[in-house]
């Protein structure tokens, strides 16, 4: 990896690569001197610290302060891996907590550049309990509605990954970085190394994006703009319809139009709606659903909007969990939400049941019900049962002319009613699932044209 890459850079080099000419103002917490050889009296600890300080020019394994990335002020903290492997001791904890408190006091986003091997052996349980301090400081920042972004460098392992890294709202990783709770010296000898890589963590839904170093400043600038903090809150504008479909005369026509493979899908709507899209990836439980797109976006006028968009496939439990994560984050940061509905229903295979389909759908319903920012819903295709309704907001749902919404798909409704397949069309007519029916029934506020 190149020497000027943020993955292998020193803490100050990593910060400078992001702040550039805008510069960085370092802060330091009040000094709390350690006893000789640390809290455990570990023989040689003071000498090891002195060697690390001489080698790196740093007093501790974390540097923090304020700076500007792109055009956004933020609090930056960066781990110095050359100082005892970027490990966390009591003084490191002091600096991390002070960085979070600085962000809280200044009401600025926190940007963490993480490269750490975990807790410091020479300080034992005193080092380990710093994770509790960091978690508490992160929680206070979260409660204040301020965003936290982590860039995980090489390596990011142990408690630093499990708090500052994975605990952030958005997690970006540098290519090839070692990322995982278990470091290389403590994991099983036969463990798959891919699972402990940035790319492996992305595949497992634990990292939102793997970003090449040359694209990092641009990506972070967009994320800082999207996540805020923001001023006055307004509802997400309603997308325009992307097809010239006419209203269907029958229920069976409505279903056919919604299932037409030529109909515009979520990708087309999102591309038309946003100037910049910033995907959130995965459910943070080891799962992903490629048929459910989540993230934040910036419209041409700069308005940030969070989005959750179904892509026409049965939505899987990981998709609902990712949607709930996105909606809750938007609610906490004060960003309006747009949901695009297009699914024949929730995935109903055995794998989905084992993955907790019912609980995941319930959590999505709860996230929509509890969120305190405006949600705008547009049905752009199939609205299949509770699997679609879980992501639709009451009183602000709109439909396109080539969509339908039904208590269940017509084929399944016919089966439940013990009707032959030949009566599926008639059942679709009886369900009153057409866009104009949904408007008349009070489910939809408008038919978008």
């Amino acid at each position: 990896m190149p020497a000027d890459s943020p993955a292998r850079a020193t803490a100050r080099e990593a910060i400078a690569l992001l702040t550039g000419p805008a510069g960085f103002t370092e802060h330091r917490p009040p000094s709390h001197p350690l006893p000789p050889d640390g809290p455990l009296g570990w023989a040689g600890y003071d000498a090891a610290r002195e060697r690390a300080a001489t080698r790196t020019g740093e007093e501790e394994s974390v540097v923090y302060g304020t700076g500007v990335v792109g055009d956004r002020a933020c609090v930056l903290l960066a781990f110095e891996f050359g100082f005892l492997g970027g490990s966390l001791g009591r003084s490191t904890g002091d600096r991390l907590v002070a960085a979070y408190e600085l962000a809280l006091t200044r009401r600025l986003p926190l940007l963490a550049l993480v490269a750490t091997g975990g807790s410091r052996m020479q300080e034992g349980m005193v080092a380990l309990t710093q994770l509790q301090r960091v978690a508490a400081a992160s929680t206070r920042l979260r409660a204040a509605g301020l965003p936290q972004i982590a860039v995980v460098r090489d390596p990011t392992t142990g408690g630093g990954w499990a708090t500052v890294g994975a605990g952030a709202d958005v997690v970006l990783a540098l290519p090839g970085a070692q990322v995982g709770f278990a470091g290389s010296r403590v994991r099983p000898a036969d463990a798959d190394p891919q699972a402990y890589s940035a790319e492996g963590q992305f595949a497992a839904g634990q990292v939102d994006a793997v970003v090449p170093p040359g694209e990092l400043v641009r990506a972070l600038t967009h994320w800082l703009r999207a996540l805020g903090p923001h001023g006055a809150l307004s509802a997400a504008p309603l997308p325009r319809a992307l097809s010239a479909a006419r209203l269907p005369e029958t229920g069976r026509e409505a279903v056919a139009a919604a299932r037409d493979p030529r109909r515009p899908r979520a990708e087309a709507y999102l591309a038309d709606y946003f100037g910049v899209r910033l995907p959130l990836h995965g459910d943070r439980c080891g799962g992903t659903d490629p048929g459910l797109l989540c993230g934040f976006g910036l419209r041409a006028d700069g308005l940030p909007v969070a989005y959750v968009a179904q892509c026409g496939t049965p939505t899987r439990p990981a998709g609902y969990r990712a949607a709930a994560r996105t909606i809750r984050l938007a609610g906490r940061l004060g960003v309006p939400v747009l949901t695009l509905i297009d699914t024949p229903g929730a995935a109903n295979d055995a794998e989905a049941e084992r993955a907790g389909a019912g609980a995941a759908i319930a959590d999505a319903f709860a996230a929509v019900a509890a969120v305190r920012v405006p949600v705008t819903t547009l049905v752009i295709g199939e609205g299949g049962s509770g699997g679609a309704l879980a992501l639709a907001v009451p009183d602000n749902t709109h439909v396109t002319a080539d969509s339908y919404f039904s208590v269940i798909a017509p084929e399944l409704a016919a089966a439940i009613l013990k009707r032959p397949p030949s009566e599926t069309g008639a059942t679709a007519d009886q369900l009153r699932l057409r866009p104009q029916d949904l408007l008349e029934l009070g489910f939809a506020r408008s038919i978008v044209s």
Side-chain angles (χ1 to χ4, degrees), residues 142-146 169 226-227 230 233 280 295-296 305-307 323-338 367-368 370-375:
R142 188 172 293 113
L146 294 166
D169 299 316
L227 299 184
H230 304 291
L233 176 65
L280 291 173
F296 284 67
V305 176
Y307 63 86
R325 171 197 170 205
T326 302
I327 292 166
R328 290 192 174 106
L329 177 58
R332 180 162 58 77
L333 299 180
V335 177
V337 178
L338 169 70
V368 172
V371 72
R372 296 185 178 181
V373 296
V375 179

Side-chain angles (χ1 to χ4, degrees), residues 300-329:
D301 60 3
L303 177 70
V305 176
Y307 63 86
V308 173
Q310 292 170 316
C311 298
T313 58
T315 303
R316 307 203 65 80
Y320 291 112
R321 285 191 287 265
R325 171 197 170 205
T326 302
I327 292 166
R328 290 192 174 106
L329 177 58

Side-chain angles (χ1 to χ4, degrees), residues 373-411:
V373 296
V375 179
T376 301
T377 296
L378 178 62
V379 186
I380 62 171
E382 292 194 78
S385 192
L389 190 67
L391 300 178
V393 65
D395 304 323
N396 197 24
T397 290
H398 308 258
V399 295
T400 62
D402 48 0
S403 70
Y404 79 86
F405 217 117
S406 175
V407 63
I408 198 168
E411 295 86 352

